[in-house]
């Protein structure tokens, strides 16, 4: 049971949720947040966070058995998770000196948030491996790499797809964690439990479900706010970062998997839907309406995207063009095969 728990709810899927006093949440054990005052409202520009109406709403099943009272936040009881190196195809917006003829002040780019509508699936995973679909917002190089990450994941053969966040300020070495496992992220909503399962998920050739994710910087406070389906979830305080304290210089959208090669060959852990991008809508996983927040707080379509696909025979990525969907792409694949040894 988490410190400050005033109520516990057990979901039908087995998830156990502690409703924790908002002022006693793990964030305030961080040495830089001992005297932090919770920001319950943000001053971010509303046009930077708008998203389309979506009837395919995701749900967390613990709500069937109760609600967390006002003044508390729902925290999933979960063991600590370790970050691992992964194989990933991503679409990246990163401005470098050799990409643009521009004044030095523009080198590296300045981004104040990102968004995407992410298709939700439950890919097969094996032997403690993970499969992710996520947004990365980052800055810094080497040991100074800072990131905020959010999306969905499937872990170690679970038939559950989970909402997750992650952060680090030293390239995953000694700081940061998933969700609220360690001090850092400040949650404000009573409605969403980070790390808990979401439902329903998309099925091959059937109805498709999505999550709309936005990260946006509140310049007045320095905090980075997270929204899901236009609902404010909470924020990463700017003070816990170094190179991300001001702005981001890199944004990535895409998928990742862990590959332990436990059978002596590439893993069979799937990415996305487990099908290749050329199978298209209803069969392959997609990102649509990807964007970034500019210095004025406005959402923009990214330009000069770079594509990184580490193992195309295993997992691949292709852009898609659908009217009204902005910049979109399909990604993923089945992993191990004759073409992916």
């Amino acid at each position: 049971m988490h410190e400050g728990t005033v109520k516990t709810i057990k979901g039908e899927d087995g998830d156990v949720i502690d409703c924790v006093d908002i002022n006693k949440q793990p964030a305030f054990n961080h040495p830089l947040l001992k005297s932090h005052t919770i920001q319950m409202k943000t001053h971010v520009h509303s046009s930077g966070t708008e998203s389309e109406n979506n009837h395919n709403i995701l749900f967390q099943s613990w709500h069937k058995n109760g609600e967390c009272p006002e003044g508390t936040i729902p925290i999933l009881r979960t063991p600590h998770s370790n970050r691992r190196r992964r194989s990933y195809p991503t679409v990246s917006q990163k401005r470098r000196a050799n990409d643009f003829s521009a004044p030095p002040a523009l080198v590296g780019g300045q981004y104040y948030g990102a968004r995407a509508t992410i298709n939700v699936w439950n890919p097969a995973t094996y032997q403690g491996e993970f499969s992710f679909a996520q947004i990365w917002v980052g800055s810094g190089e080497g040991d100074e790499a800072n990131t905020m990450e959010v999306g969905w994941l499937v872990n170690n053969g679970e038939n559950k797809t989970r909402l997750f966040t992650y952060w680090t300020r030293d390239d995953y070495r000694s700081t940061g964690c998933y969700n609220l496992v360690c001090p850092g992220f400040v949650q404000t909503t009573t409605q969403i439990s980070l790390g808990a399962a979401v439902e329903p998920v998309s099925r091959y050739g059937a109805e498709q479900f999505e999550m709309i994710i936005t990260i946006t910087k509140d310049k007045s406070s320095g905090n980075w706010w997270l929204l899901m389906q236009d609902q404010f979830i909470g924020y990463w305080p700017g003070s816990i970062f170094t190179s991300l304290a001001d702005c981001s210089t890199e944004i990535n959208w895409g998928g990742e998997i862990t590959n332990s090669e436990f059978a002596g060959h590439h893993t069979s852990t799937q990415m996305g839907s487990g099908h290749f991008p050329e199978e298209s809508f209803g069969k392959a996983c997609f990102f649509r309406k990807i964007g970034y927040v500019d210095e004025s707080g406005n959402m923009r379509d990214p330009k000069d995207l770079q594509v990184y696909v580490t193992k195309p025979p295993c997992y691949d990525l292709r852009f898609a063009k659908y009217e009204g969907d902005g910049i979109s792409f399909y990604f993923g694949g089945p992993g191990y095969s004759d073409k992916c040894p």
Side-chain angles (χ1 to χ4, degrees), residues 95-313:
R95 298 182 181 178
R96 297 182 298 206
N98 60 348
D99 291 332
F100 294 88
S101 298
L106 296 178
V107 173
Q110 295 184 343
Y111 313 113
Y112 295 86
R115 62 102 54 211
T117 298
I118 309 175
N119 195 199
V120 181
W121 290 78
N122 184 252
T125 57
Y126 303 96
Q127 297 295 318
E129 296 174 340
F130 290 76
S131 185
F132 301 82
Q134 66 180 95
I135 303 173
W136 297 257
V137 175
S139 186
E141 302 289 342
D143 292 350
E144 296 296 318
N146 289 204
T147 70
M148 299 172 289
E149 306 172 29
V150 60
W152 59 257
L153 68 79
V154 179
N155 175 27
N156 193 26
E158 261 199 323
N159 62 355
K160 301 174 185 176
T161 301
R162 298 183 178 278
L163 171 68
F164 84 94
T165 63
Y166 194 90
W167 72 274
T168 180
R169 59 183 256 169
D170 61 358
D171 195 31
Y172 310 105
R173 295 177 182 272
S174 62
T175 65
C177 61
Y178 287 102
N179 310 318
L180 303 181
V181 170
C182 71
F185 187 85
V186 178
Q187 183 160 331
T188 58
T189 183
T190 63
Q191 298 301 308
I192 300 293
S193 178
L194 299 176
V198 294
E199 58 182 48
V201 297
S202 304
R203 303 295 180 188
Y204 189 84
E207 188 173 9
Q208 301 298 294
F209 295 89
E210 306 169 332
M211 59 172 58
I212 305 168
I213 299 293
T214 305
I215 298 172
T216 186
K217 178 73 175 287
D218 181 345
K219 287 187 176 182
S220 64
S221 66
N223 299 328
W224 292 89
W225 278 87
L226 170 63
L227 294 84
M228 179 180 175
Q229 317 300 65
D230 271 350
Q231 178 179 343
F232 287 94
I233 306 301
Y235 58 88
W236 292 273
S239 60
I240 68 174
F241 294 112
T242 53
S243 58
L244 262 178
D246 179 27
C247 66
S248 165
T249 57
E250 182 172 357
I251 301 170
N252 292 267
W253 299 264
E256 289 185 276
I257 60 97
T258 51
N259 177 21
S260 62
E261 297 185 344
F262 62 89
H265 55 68
H266 193 283
T267 180
S268 296
T269 284
Q270 299 174 342
M271 183 185 295
S273 69
H275 295 263
F276 283 113
E278 54 263 31
E279 294 196 44
S280 193
F281 185 81
K283 300 175 181 179
C285 191
F286 61 80
F287 278 63
R288 65 187 185 91
K289 289 191 174 181
I290 66 174
Y292 72 94
V293 180
D294 68 13
E295 189 173 8
S296 299
N298 298 309
M299 194 65 68
R300 303 289 187 188
D301 288 340
K303 298 180 180 179
D304 303 299
L305 288 169
Q306 303 172 41
V307 178
Y308 302 96
V309 181
T310 54
K311 294 185 177 180

